[in-house]
């Protein structure tokens, strides 16, 4: 299973920025509907869409949950920074034991609570023995 961050292209960044009213340019009708699906999907459906369109999933997660997401996507759209430099940096993740899916934290910098792209939050206790989703 590949757990690396997908590369967000300038085109993807522009489409997502436009969809969320933050600049960029409009995508075609299929991609516009795809972005609407991502924006309204629950966690299970978000991950199903992400399996087929990982770059759009990463860009939507960035704009919805990363406090620096708009700034980073604008930099990608202008070609000023590679997607890898703007990707979420937190190494924490939740593992779904039934499916084997890994849901990475999308937050950047130091934080006490972690969050998946779909909004599930959890923390790792001080003793580090278990992860506590809520």
């Amino acid at each position: 299973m590949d757990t690396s961050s997908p590369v967000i292209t300038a085109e993807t960044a522009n489409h997502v920025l436009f969809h969320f009213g933050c600049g960029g340019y409009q995508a075609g009708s299929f991609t516009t509907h795809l972005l609407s699906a991502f924006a309204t999907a629950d966690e299970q459906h978000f991950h199903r869409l992400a399996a087929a369109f990982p770059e759009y999933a990463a860009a939507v997660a960035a704009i919805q949950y990363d406090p620096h997401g708009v700034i980073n996507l604008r930099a990608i759209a202008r070609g000023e920074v590679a997607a890898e430099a703007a990707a979420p940096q937190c190494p924490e993740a939740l593992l779904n034991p039934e499916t084997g899916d890994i849901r990475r934290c999308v937050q950047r910098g130091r934080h006490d609570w972690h969050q998946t792209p779909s909004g599930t939050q959890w923390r790792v206790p001080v003793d580090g023995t278990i992860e506590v989703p809520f």
Side-chain angles (χ1 to χ4, degrees), residues 3-68:
T3 59
S4 63
S5 296
V7 174
I8 301 170
T9 65
E11 180 178 52
T12 298
N14 276 298
H15 292 166
V16 172
L17 287 165
F18 183 88
H19 183 80
F20 286 91
C22 300
Y25 53 80
Q26 189 168 14
S29 62
F30 176 82
T31 303
T32 298
H33 289 293
L34 176 65
L35 290 171
S36 292
F38 266 117
T40 59
D42 60 22
E43 186 172 3
Q44 176 185 6
H45 290 102
F46 187 96
H47 289 288
R48 287 177 140 178
L49 289 167
F53 304 97
E55 70 284 357
Y56 280 102
V60 169
I63 204 165
Q64 287 185 321
Y65 302 109
D66 183 348
H68 304 288

Side-chain angles (χ1 to χ4, degrees), residues 104-126:
R104 295 195 54 182
C105 177
V106 296
Q107 298 190 75
R108 298 175 59 89
R110 293 183 63 105
H111 49 274
D112 294 326
W113 294 93
H114 302 286
Q115 185 167 328
T116 65
S118 61
T120 300
Q121 294 183 335
W122 79 96
R123 70 180 178 89
V124 177
V126 174

Side-chain angles (χ1 to χ4, degrees), residues 66-121:
D66 183 348
H68 304 288
V70 172
I71 293 167
N72 292 335
L73 288 175
R74 285 179 177 161
I76 293 168
R78 291 188 303 263
E80 295 173 359
V81 64
E84 293 85 359
Q89 300 299 306
C90 182
E92 294 294 331
L94 289 177
L95 171 66
N96 182 336
E98 294 175 6
T99 64
D101 290 337
I102 294 177
R103 298 178 181 144
R104 295 195 54 182
C105 177
V106 296
Q107 298 190 75
R108 298 175 59 89
R110 293 183 63 105
H111 49 274
D112 294 326
W113 294 93
H114 302 286
Q115 185 167 328
T116 65
S118 61
T120 300
Q121 294 183 335

